[in-house]
Amino acid sequence: MEIFKFGGASVKDAASVKNVLRVLQKTGFQDKVIVISAMGKMTNAFEIVIAEYLSSRDIPGKSLSVIKEYHLDLAHQLFESNQAPVFEKINAFFRELTNFMKHNKSVQYDFVYDQMVCFGELISSTIVSEYLKLQGIEHSWIDARQFIKTDSTYRDARVNWEETQEKITHGVKPGKLYLTQGFIGSDANNFTTTLGREGSDYTAAIFAYCLNAEKVIIWKDVPGVMNADPRMFENPQLLNQISYEEAIELAFYGASVIHPKTLQPLQRKEIPLFVKSFLNPGDAGTAVSKGQSLIPEIPCFIVKKGQVLISLSSLDFSFMVEENISDIFKLFHLYQMKVDLIQNSAISFAVCVDNRFNNLERLIQHLKARFKVEFITGVCLYTIRHFDDLSLKTLEKDKEVLLKQVTQNTVQLITRT
Ligand code: ASP
Ligand code: MG
């Protein structure tokens, strides 16, 4: 079987939904599981509704109607008749959501979040399914929550592989076309759980693993994975092939390729994953698979802005050794700093961190009790995988480099902006 995933951008409006059909016409209607995300930026819109509901305990009429209007509008563009079953189905989902808010007693943010945010995927997959039905495409809409079984870590659920495998083996048969939701699953009590933001790719990988699929295709609004972010670099180039290991490395340095969590089940069964353009489905796109680490073997550029460079030295000129360093790392962990780069010498220790949770000030205060501390905020961390002289020179040009670290395959530069 093949597993297709259409993300938010690929179902963001009526034209995009029509394009899903076009992609299927080109690739065939059989032997597939199609995983659909919430439409456009709808998950963000649901997050607003959830936050308002949890702070006021009232039904946030205004932000909820934004979501409802968006879906109804889109459906009106796809379905000529107001009597089309899709409208009753959309309304039923909103009734269910409203009922949940009326009767829910839980104040557990993450639990409530999952029970509500799932409607983005449920509605989106229903609209696409009804549209395919209207076009005479035979398929089954399935509720991913009956297949992806997880623990009860709401918003970041761990898959129960045994149960999931059993449900999928039992309920998904080769040859047919299935349509389901990304991102959502359910726990032992059948409450909805989610796999973390952007979790739909992972859903596709889970289905692929359990079905021993031939491949996964992620359909996007870009030609594939590029060697640099087109918004920051001129002439980015398409990467034709990336090994699983290289994709994990790129993700580690901050490239928005495929999440390692998604790659792991695929790598275990050596199932290739393709990133392709939903506008040009005939193009090859990028393959992430077993084999050569990178084709073409060109430098890959990754940029992380707004990082913090912290330099620490001991107050008494003693060496920076294991004990100090381990204490420092405990603090990074405590203040949820993601460490991007480390460089140490006898009496000093420099790190570049990502201040994701705005805990910098508290961290610095804490560090100052034991170390001499200097720090610069708003620095830029550049990583080049597979660098060469030219790529490095080009990047360094006109920049004030604060720190540079070179290893065999990778160079990292920290610059002031
Ligand atoms: N709709 C969810 C999100 O936006 C899941 C996904 O798109 O992968 O995070
Ligand atoms: Mg999404």
Side-chain angles (χ1 to χ4, degrees), residues 241-252 263 267 288-293 385:
Q241 146 79 25
I242 314 173
S243 68
Y244 298 111
E245 291 79 5
E246 181 63 23
I248 291 169
E249 292 281 352
L250 290 169
F252 173 78
L263 290 171
Q267 180 176 26
V288 179
S289 63
K290 196 180 157 208
Q292 217 170 308
S293 123
R385 289 275 299 164

Side-chain angles (χ1 to χ4, degrees), residues 130-145:
E130 289 299 310
Y131 178 70
L132 292 183
K133 243 192 239 170
L134 184 73
Q135 304 299 324
I137 312 302
E138 203 179 304
H139 68 282
S140 316
W141 180 94
I142 55 177
D143 187 333
R145 295 173 298 183

